[in-house]
Amino acid sequence: MTRLLNHGYLPRIFNSDRPKSLLNAYVSDYLREEIIAEALVRNAPAFADFLAIAALADTEPVNFSNIARETGISSPTVKTYYEILQDTLLGRWLPAYQRRPKRRVATAPKFYFADAGIVNHLARRGALEPRSELYGKAFENWIHHELVAYSSYTESFTNLSYWRLTSGAEVDFIVNDMALAIEAKASARITDQHMRGLRTLGQDYSDVGARIVVSLEPKSRRTDDGILILSAREFIEQLWNGELF
């Protein structure tokens, strides 16, 4: 798992003995061939600065105005740059779930880069260590990657979002209209605090389907209130075997 979250999901880079140099070449080729050569941006240095800031914001709600201030470009340009990332398949939006809210919910979308290795390179993270905050963010990025890949391959669900109250309770992924709620936690032991968002969600939406925590615990278990805790390996196996839908 640590190798995956550090090197990313691109097979050639994941299996390489020199992933950093390959990631550098990949990102450089992307900037030169996909962006500059196609004249998609006029200011290559500004776009490079944007990429670094956007990588730092991976898995987080996007505030266009804040990114504009940090990069010195306009908010409309920031939006255009994000559109370029999406159009060139370097990342994907995750909208906020806003149907039938009982309390104030967040509305800003999140953005996930398509590969955690690219995020690590752009954000200059260095080596990710288990139990660190950045390790957890990379783990969440990977779960998003697997859900998107499975959806694209099987067409098993049509909608993916996240849910967050303005007070702070949050669930990482909502599949379809509350058919499935998933929280990604890169922890070897899941606590009540890790499940707070899923429990709050269950209070607000009585029709929510399965509630799952994907973790680094070695074995699956179910809590007294029905939350299923799956190891990362078990989650991937059940996902790709079609057992979750």
Side-chain angles (χ1 to χ4, degrees):
M1 179 59 66
T2 297
R3 182 182 179 90
L4 178 73
L5 299 185
N6 274 280
H7 291 200
Y9 329 130
L10 299 172
R12 182 185 175 194
I13 295 175
F14 175 80
N15 293 315
S16 174
D17 294 330
R18 49 187 187 92
K20 289 185 178 180
S21 60
L22 286 181
L23 275 169
N24 181 62
Y26 180 87
V27 173
S28 297
D29 287 345
Y30 167 76
L31 285 171
R32 183 174 63 253
E33 297 177 8
E34 297 292 335
I35 303 300
I36 299 174
E38 297 296 329
L40 296 177
V41 299
R42 297 181 178 180
N43 189 334
F47 185 74
D49 291 342
F50 158 79
L51 282 176
I53 298 299
L56 291 171
D58 184 63
T59 78
E60 299 292 337
V62 173
N63 186 309
F64 296 111
S65 298
N66 287 347
I67 295 177
R69 283 194 295 271
E70 292 185 53
T71 56
I73 56 180
S74 67
S75 291
T77 301
V78 171
K79 293 179 181 179
T80 298
Y81 285 175
Y82 269 113
E83 291 174 1
I84 290 172
L85 296 185
Q86 185 172 28
D87 291 343
T88 54
L89 305 181
L90 197 61
R92 184 185 179 102
W93 288 109
L94 183 71
Y97 185 91
Q98 300 179 56
R99 299 176 188 174
R100 300 175 283 115
K102 295 186 178 181
R103 288 181 276 185
R104 292 183 62 188
V105 296
T107 59
K110 293 183 177 184
F111 192 85
Y112 286 76
F113 277 80
D115 183 85
I118 294 174
V119 176
N120 298 338
H121 178 79
L122 291 173
R124 300 179 181 178
R125 286 177 172 174
L128 303 187
E129 298 295 338
R131 296 180 295 278
S132 68
E133 179 183 358
L134 293 180
Y135 192 92
K137 288 169 70 70
F139 184 78
E140 181 181 334
N141 179 289
W142 174 61
I143 295 300
H144 177 265
H145 167 81
E146 291 295 326
L147 287 168
V148 169
Y150 179 78
S151 175
S152 299
Y153 183 74
T154 65
E155 299 182 351
S156 296
F157 55 88
T158 59
N159 182 267
L160 188 65
S161 58
Y162 82 98
W163 177 82
R164 182 177 186 176
L165 296 178
T166 54
S167 60
E170 181 175 353
V171 175
D172 292 327
F173 306 109
I174 303 296
V175 179
N176 289 341
D177 192 6
M178 287 292 170
L180 183 65
I182 301 170
E183 184 72 10
K185 294 295 183 185
S187 174
R189 181 64 181 173
I190 298 302
T191 66
D192 287 340
Q193 181 64 25
H194 292 140
M195 295 181 282
R196 184 172 72 94
L198 287 172
R199 287 176 170 149
T200 303
L201 183 77
Q203 295 169 4
D204 280 18
Y205 296 90
S206 59
D207 60 341
V208 64
R211 293 173 297 162
I212 297 174
V213 180
V214 185
S215 73
L216 298 181
E217 286 199 12
K219 295 182 179 180
S220 64
R221 60 185 175 94
R222 191 179 296 272
T223 65
D224 292 339
D225 57 349
I227 295 176
L228 179 60
I229 299 173
L230 292 175
S231 70
R233 180 184 296 275
E234 290 170 317
F235 173 77
I236 293 302
E237 289 177 352
Q238 292 189 27
L239 175 68
W240 285 96
N241 287 334
E243 299 174 17
L244 298 180
F245 301 95

